[in-house]
Amino acid sequence: MPRRASTPTHPVHIVIVFLLVVGAIVGGWFVAARVGDPYRTIPSLDVTAYLENANSLRGSTFKVRGGISNQLSWSPDGRRLYSIEIDDNSPNDGTLVPLLVPEQFKRVNIQKGQTYYFEVEVIEGGMLQTKNLTKA
Amino acid sequence: MKPSQSRLQKTNNRCAATFSLVLSVLFTASQGLRAQAPESLPAPVPADDRSDGDASPSSPSSDGSKAAESGGSTFLGRDVPFFNPGNEIVSWDGKHWNINNNRIFQARFEKYLNAPEETQKEDTKYRDILAQILNLLAPHSISPGDIDRAFQMLPAAAAYEQDARLCDSLADAVYSAWAAQRNQRRLEAANAALEQEMRRLEWNAQIAGRGQSFARPRDEGSAAEWDRAQAQEQEMKMKPYVRRQTEIMALMVQNKAKQELSEVQAKIEFQALLIQLFLQRRFQHVLIGTRFYRYIFGDGDTKLKLGGDAKRFFDSSIGIPPTVGVLDSLANEAVRDVREGVQAFEYLLDKAELESATKRLAETFIIGEFLPEIRTLPREKKRQALVFSQKANQLISAIEVKDYALAEKLVTELEIIAKDFDNSKALAAVETARTVSTMHIAKARNAAVSGDRATLEAELKAATEIWPRNPALAEFTTKIFDQTDLQQQALSDLERLISQKNYRQIFEDRLRFIAAVALYPERQNQLQEILEMMQKIEAAMIRADEIARRGDYAGAWESAELAFKEFPDDAKLNQLRATLTTKAASFVESLSRARELEERDQLGSSLAWYLRAQRFYPPSQFAREGVERLVHKILPGV
């Protein structure tokens, strides 16, 4: 019995499928990224401006993503001072900035090499003080 | 004492006396004094006033004696010059000379030694005339005719320049004496006439005094009257004769006084000339004069009419009363002595014993400067003595001024030309001075090395006093002066560089400055501080260079920066720092921004920059300190 000739896949369909797959991947990545940043509504810290004149940013809240570089100091009441290395896929990646972690986060175990999302406020003296932090 | 010994001693005494007298004259002439014998001689006085037989009461002499007693200027000064032949020292007026070391004598002697011998035709003629005069006046053959001929030759001798008109003076003296004698004869004739007149008057007075031929009255009263009349008449007749006799007696006494005064005056003038000639060492003229004197004044009285210092001068010199005969013998002795001295000189010269030869000639010259033996001595021979004399005088002067180097050189030269030269005293002086001076110089050198300025000065002074022209001293002082100049220059430079804070230049010339401040403790401390500072800078620079050589420019910069903070004025360090700044620009910029923001109290930004710098150069002291400082501010109380 003669077989009925199969219908060949149209190349247009292949391209469309490819585009859909890529779109799905990019969209998934985008969504995933958006979903991983808990402070996606907060503007990122302009590190360049901060380095130039931190006082100009005083009172503002920013988000910062960075890895713990070093614990510079700590106080008996639970305040800690870290240097973090900016890691936000910006030209300022790798820049070290000081970050003050107040006593309210004293129970958070922060270790060197860990990456966090920080919600920070620029306080007196241009210091970045953590308002919230989330492990990335 | 045997008679021969006595005679010998007298002869020796007389020689010494002659020498002493003549030397006195030399010094009198040297001092520009004229022979003053006539002034000290007694002035003519009436015979009655000379009853004590001494001419000393004359007023000038008395004045002179008083002056001498009061210490004023007298004949030949306060003291009579005295020559001691034993040590060749002349003492006069409280001063002492060595006759071989007297400037005026040296000058006169050297003039003589350089003068040509007087053997020209004129000189010979002059000496011949003097010899003829002396021959004519020789005591053993003298006659009135010889006296006249000798007198006539005096003007001829005086015509020669070398005579200095002394023969004219002699002729004048002889003529004056003869005139005085003629005057005496006239006075004698006048007195003879007065004597005759006296006798006539006495006769007339006797005649006038005889009685009258008239008879005496017999009456007693008339007789008494007659006697009175007779007596009165006799008195009236005799009175003119008696008055005239008195007048004649007075005239005779006056003439007698004039006669004696004239004779004494003539003698004194003649003696004064003789003494003057003797003192001028014109012994030939003295001999001529004494022979004229004896002939003119044949009364046997040849005693010199001296007084005061002049008398004492002769008495103390020759020990016997001065007479014309003494002058004559002294002059003869001087002539003989000069002749002998010249012979000794020539003999010693032949033996190349120049020291003795020169001394003998000098002694002979003092006595017989105007005698033919001295005047005719060939210049060629005298020049040899001159060379020795000049060198010997130079030697004396060199030792006097302590120029022992020159003295040593002269001693060597004198030893070559004079076999009899005694170098012991000169060499002893030289060696002593050299030893002592060297000792002081050595002490001074040690003091200079140890920086003992006081001892250095004291030893240099002592060495200079001993031997001012010591070559070793000159060399040492030149070094000292040069070093002092360099030292002063270095000290001046050091002051300037310190004021400019140019410590780098001080460090580079440190060896010069270290030497310069050796004697200045305060500056030593100052220099030491500067050098220690510069050593720190140098160490930092060396360290920076080493670090930079490993490619760690940030570390090198920080090393330089640390030194720069302490020593910001060092140009070389600045230059290195600038070079390293360009090579470690990011690190330097981070630190710079960090400091700048820290100053503006921007703790966060500043800490971020410090952290950045620390990332560039983890061992950074500046970054670490900055971080620590800011952390302490952010978390106080930690």
Side-chain angles (χ1 to χ4, degrees), chain A residues 50-55 94 125, chain B residues 593 602-605 609 615 631:
Chain A
Y50 180 78
L51 290 175
E52 286 297 319
N53 186 2
N55 276 348
Chain B
R593 295 294 305 275
Q602 298 217 24
L603 305 180
S605 301
W609 282 107
R615 168 168 283 179
V631 165

Side-chain angles (χ1 to χ4, degrees), chain B residues 133 136-137 142-155 174 178 292 295:
Chain B
I133 293 172
L136 288 169
L137 297 174
I142 193 164
S143 68
D146 291 338
I147 290 289
D148 290 342
R149 278 196 293 278
F151 180 76
Q152 287 163 3
M153 291 177 77
L154 288 176
V174 171
W178 280 340
F292 269 117
Y295 179 78

Side-chain angles (χ1 to χ4, degrees), chain B residues 372-547:
Chain B
E373 288 79 4
I374 286 290
R375 308 312 305 179
T376 57
L377 197 61
R379 180 157 64 176
E380 188 184 340
K381 292 183 178 178
K382 291 191 290 185
R383 285 285 300 174
Q384 295 179 48
L386 175 65
V387 171
F388 178 84
S389 177
Q390 285 174 334
K391 288 188 184 299
N393 290 336
Q394 269 187 306
L395 176 61
I396 291 166
S397 300
I399 290 175
E400 276 181 355
V401 300
K402 300 179 180 177
D403 187 352
Y404 296 109
L406 177 61
E408 193 172 25
K409 178 172 170 278
L410 288 167
V411 165
T412 307
E413 291 176 3
L414 285 167
E415 282 175 336
I416 293 170
I417 63 172
K419 286 181 183 174
D420 60 336
F421 174 65
D422 179 11
N423 63 7
S424 56
K425 287 181 183 174
L427 285 183
V430 171
E431 289 304 322
T432 303
R434 175 178 287 130
T435 303
V436 179
S437 182
T438 302
M439 186 182 71
H440 284 296
I441 291 170
K443 284 184 180 175
R445 189 174 284 118
N446 289 338
V449 170
S450 61
D452 186 353
R453 198 182 191 89
T455 306
L456 171 65
E457 288 176 0
E459 294 300 332
L460 277 180
K461 187 181 175 187
T464 306
E465 284 173 355
I466 290 164
W467 188 350
R469 298 188 65 184
N470 185 354
L473 177 64
E475 185 185 354
F476 180 65
T477 49
T478 302
K479 278 184 184 173
I480 291 280
F481 290 145
D482 289 346
Q483 284 175 0
T484 303
D485 288 345
L486 290 173
Q487 187 183 34
Q488 291 304 320
Q489 183 61 43
L491 287 172
S492 173
D493 290 346
L494 180 62
E495 292 289 331
R496 180 175 51 79
L497 292 171
I498 288 173
S499 68
Q500 294 171 353
K501 295 188 176 179
N502 191 350
Y503 304 128
R504 168 63 53 185
Q505 190 63 44
I506 294 171
F507 180 74
E508 287 175 358
D509 284 348
R510 57 188 177 279
L511 294 179
R512 185 163 73 103
F513 295 128
I514 287 169
V517 301
L519 300 177
Y520 303 94
E522 288 181 5
R523 290 182 181 175
Q524 264 183 336
N525 294 335
Q526 195 176 12
L527 180 62
Q528 188 176 357
E529 288 175 8
I530 291 169
L531 293 181
E532 284 174 358
M533 176 185 76
M534 289 307 300
Q535 281 169 352
K536 287 181 183 174
I537 294 172
E538 283 295 301
M541 289 175 68
I542 291 169
R543 194 164 53 246
D545 279 339
E546 285 295 320
I547 296 170

Side-chain angles (χ1 to χ4, degrees), chain B residues 18-147:
Chain B
T18 308
F19 205 51
S20 179
L21 281 169
V22 167
L23 279 174
S24 328
V25 177
L26 175 67
F27 281 91
T28 307
S30 300
Q31 297 297 324
L33 299 173
R34 303 291 297 172
Q36 299 296 310
E39 292 180 9
S40 64
L41 292 172
V45 293
D48 293 343
D49 292 340
R50 296 185 295 111
S51 55
D52 58 357
D54 191 350
S56 61
S58 62
S59 58
S61 180
S62 300
D63 292 346
S65 300
K66 286 173 186 171
E69 287 163 9
S70 62
S73 178
T74 63
F75 176 59
L76 294 175
R78 273 180 250 169
D79 297 320
V80 170
F82 179 75
F83 173 69
N84 183 350
N87 56 12
E88 299 174 335
I89 297 291
V90 173
S91 303
W92 182 30
D93 205 13
K95 298 178 177 63
H96 309 281
W97 291 270
N98 185 309
I99 62 162
N100 293 314
N101 183 23
N102 178 273
R103 188 186 65 78
I104 297 169
F105 173 72
Q106 283 171 10
R108 201 178 178 99
F109 188 50
E110 286 188 9
K111 188 173 76 173
Y112 162 69
L113 294 177
N114 278 310
E117 59 271 27
E118 294 180 1
T119 53
Q120 302 298 314
K121 193 176 176 182
E122 289 293 304
D123 303 317
T124 310
K125 277 186 183 176
Y126 170 69
R127 283 194 292 275
D128 286 346
I129 293 172
L130 287 188
Q132 286 176 34
I133 293 172
L134 284 168
N135 282 334
L136 288 169
L137 297 174
H140 56 275
S141 63
I142 193 164
S143 68
D146 291 338
I147 290 289

Side-chain angles (χ1 to χ4, degrees), chain B residues 336-349:
Chain B
R336 184 203 62 76
D337 193 60
V338 168
R339 192 178 300 121
E340 198 174 271
V342 170
Q343 288 170 356
F345 165 72
E346 289 180 326
Y347 178 76
L348 291 167
L349 203 61

